[in-house]
Amino acid sequence: LKKSSVNENDQKSYGKGTRFVQTIAEMNSLIADRDEKHESMYVKLKAKLGYIKKDKSWYSVYSKDDCNSKVGNDLSGEPKKSNRYVLQVSIQDDTGNFWATVFGKEAVHLMNGVSADDLEELQDKDPEKFEEAFKVNENKLFNFVLRIRDEEYQEQSRTKIIVVRI
């Protein structure tokens, strides 16, 4: 497989080892053949967004004195609540599919500009628009920049894929 780098701005953000791949099968081959399993690898891939899971698609944080933390049961004071995306998405092409995690502005982009706060409101007030927000970009092509890394979780190694840019 030919190793190539992306433009100078991408090199600064994602490392000189960012690889362009044509298919998911080619990406899977790169993952299987890499030497440094615990080093992050960056891949640029054009593929379809297959599906966005609705369950646990955001989490709430409370901001107080410039400190963010996940929601707890014993909060005191009057912190400001906001929601942040943590989307689990299926990405696919004719050669395969995989699940990836998407955060922040990239998640808002996949949700067609709907913020996590607005999505929570839609869930209660307009279930039809809530459902539509998850489906509006299904089966559309995107250029994904992915970070791929093996991680240990409950004494098992697994490959974690995160979308870092769309």
Side-chain angles (χ1 to χ4, degrees):
L1 295 172
K2 183 177 178 181
K3 180 179 175 180
S4 63
S5 61
V6 296
N7 71 42
E8 191 174 310
N9 290 336
D10 286 342
Q11 288 177 1
K12 291 176 186 171
S13 300
Y14 308 112
K16 292 185 179 185
T18 302
R19 297 177 173 114
F20 292 95
V21 293
Q22 298 295 316
T23 65
I24 291 173
E26 184 180 351
M27 182 188 79
N28 287 337
S29 179
L30 277 175
I31 292 169
D33 294 343
R34 64 196 161 121
D35 294 328
E36 298 295 322
K37 298 281 186 190
H38 293 285
E39 293 294 317
S40 293
M41 175 174 67
Y42 292 88
V43 172
K44 189 170 185 178
L45 168 72
K46 186 173 187 175
K48 288 182 184 179
L49 174 68
Y51 177 76
I52 302 173
K53 285 186 180 179
K54 294 176 197 78
D55 294 341
K56 300 178 185 175
S57 56
W58 71 84
Y59 63 96
S60 297
V61 296
Y62 284 91
S63 302
K64 185 177 181 182
D65 299 327
D66 298 325
C67 177
N68 293 327
S69 63
K70 285 189 176 181
V71 176
N73 293 330
D74 58 344
L75 293 173
S76 61
E78 296 181 22
K80 180 183 174 190
K81 177 186 177 257
S82 64
N83 295 317
R84 298 194 181 154
Y85 278 122
V86 58
L87 298 178
Q88 299 298 316
V89 300
S90 169
I91 298 174
Q92 60 191 26
D93 69 9
D94 292 339
T95 66
N97 64 32
F98 62 91
W99 287 95
T101 305
V102 188
F103 300 97
K105 68 179 184 174
E106 308 308 324
V108 172
H109 179 70
L110 288 182
M111 297 300 286
N112 214 36
V114 177
S115 72
D117 290 327
D118 292 343
L119 189 67
E120 180 183 41
E121 191 174 314
L122 284 176
Q123 184 178 28
D124 297 330
K125 294 182 179 178
D126 195 339
E128 193 172 298
K129 284 186 180 177
F130 174 82
E131 293 291 325
E132 177 60 26
F134 286 93
K135 294 180 180 183
V136 69
N137 282 321
E138 281 184 2
N139 296 312
K140 289 186 181 175
L141 281 173
F142 291 94
N143 289 311
F144 296 100
V145 176
L146 309 167
R147 184 183 80 203
I148 302 166
R149 183 180 175 119
D150 283 349
E151 296 180 348
E152 291 286 326
Y153 181 72
Q154 296 181 348
E155 298 181 19
Q156 291 185 346
S157 181
R158 65 180 184 176
T159 301
K160 184 77 173 166
I161 302 174
I162 296 176
V163 175
V164 293
R165 193 175 73 195
I166 301 172

